[in-house]
Coordinates of all heavy atoms in Angstrom, one line a residue:
N433 N 14.5 -0.3 -47.2 CA 15.0 -1.8 -47.3 C 16.4 -1.8 -46.8 O 17.2 -2.6 -47.4 CB 14.8 -2.2 -48.7 CG 15.7 -1.5 -49.6 OD1 16.1 -0.3 -49.5 ND2 15.9 -2.0 -50.9
G434 N 16.7 -1.0 -45.7 CA 18.0 -1.0 -45.2 C 18.4 -2.1 -44.2 O 17.6 -3.1 -44.2
I435 N 19.4 -1.9 -43.4 CA 19.7 -2.9 -42.5 C 18.8 -3.2 -41.3 O 18.9 -4.1 -40.7 CB 21.2 -2.6 -41.9 CG1 21.1 -1.2 -41.2 CG2 22.2 -2.5 -43.0 CD1 22.5 -0.9 -40.4
G436 N 17.8 -2.1 -41.2 CA 16.9 -2.2 -40.0 C 17.5 -2.1 -38.6 O 18.6 -1.7 -38.5
V437 N 16.8 -2.3 -37.7 CA 17.1 -2.1 -36.3 C 16.8 -3.4 -35.5 O 15.7 -3.9 -35.7 CB 16.5 -0.8 -35.7 CG1 16.9 -0.7 -34.2 CG2 16.9 0.3 -36.4
S438 N 17.6 -3.8 -34.6 CA 17.3 -5.1 -33.8 C 16.1 -4.6 -32.8 O 15.8 -3.5 -32.5 CB 18.5 -5.3 -33.0 OG 18.8 -4.4 -32.1
S439 N 15.4 -5.7 -32.4 CA 14.3 -5.5 -31.6 C 14.7 -4.9 -30.3 O 13.8 -4.1 -29.6 CB 13.5 -6.9 -31.3 OG 14.5 -7.8 -30.8
E440 N 15.9 -5.1 -29.8 CA 16.5 -4.6 -28.6 C 16.6 -3.0 -28.6 O 16.3 -2.2 -27.9 CB 17.8 -5.2 -28.3 CG 18.4 -4.5 -27.0 CD 19.8 -5.2 -26.7 OE1 20.2 -6.2 -27.4 OE2 20.3 -4.8 -25.8
N441 N 17.0 -2.5 -29.9 CA 17.3 -1.2 -30.0 C 16.2 -0.4 -30.7 O 16.1 0.9 -30.7 CB 18.5 -1.0 -31.1 CG 19.8 -1.2 -30.4 OD1 19.9 -1.2 -29.1 ND2 20.8 -1.8 -31.2
L442 N 15.2 -1.1 -31.2 CA 14.0 -0.4 -31.9 C 13.3 0.7 -30.9 O 13.1 1.7 -31.4 CB 13.0 -1.4 -32.3 CG 11.9 -1.0 -33.3 CD1 12.5 -0.5 -34.6 CD2 10.9 -2.0 -33.6
P443 N 13.1 0.4 -29.6 CA 12.4 1.5 -28.8 C 13.4 2.7 -28.5 O 13.0 3.7 -28.0 CB 12.1 0.7 -27.4 CG 12.3 -0.7 -27.8 CD 13.3 -0.8 -28.8
K444 N 14.7 2.4 -28.8 CA 15.6 3.6 -28.5 C 16.0 4.4 -29.6 O 16.8 5.5 -29.3 CB 17.0 2.9 -28.0 CG 16.8 1.9 -26.9 CD 18.3 1.2 -26.6 CE 18.1 0.2 -25.5 NZ 19.4 -0.5 -25.4
I445 N 15.5 4.2 -30.6 CA 16.0 5.0 -31.9 C 15.5 6.5 -31.8 O 16.1 7.4 -32.6 CB 15.5 4.4 -33.3 CG1 14.1 4.4 -33.4 CG2 16.0 3.0 -33.4 CD1 13.5 4.0 -34.7

Side-chain angles (χ1 to χ4, degrees):
N433 62 342
I435 63 174
V437 179
S438 67
S439 57
E440 179 184 355
N441 287 331
L442 194 60
K444 304 176 184 177
I445 64 172

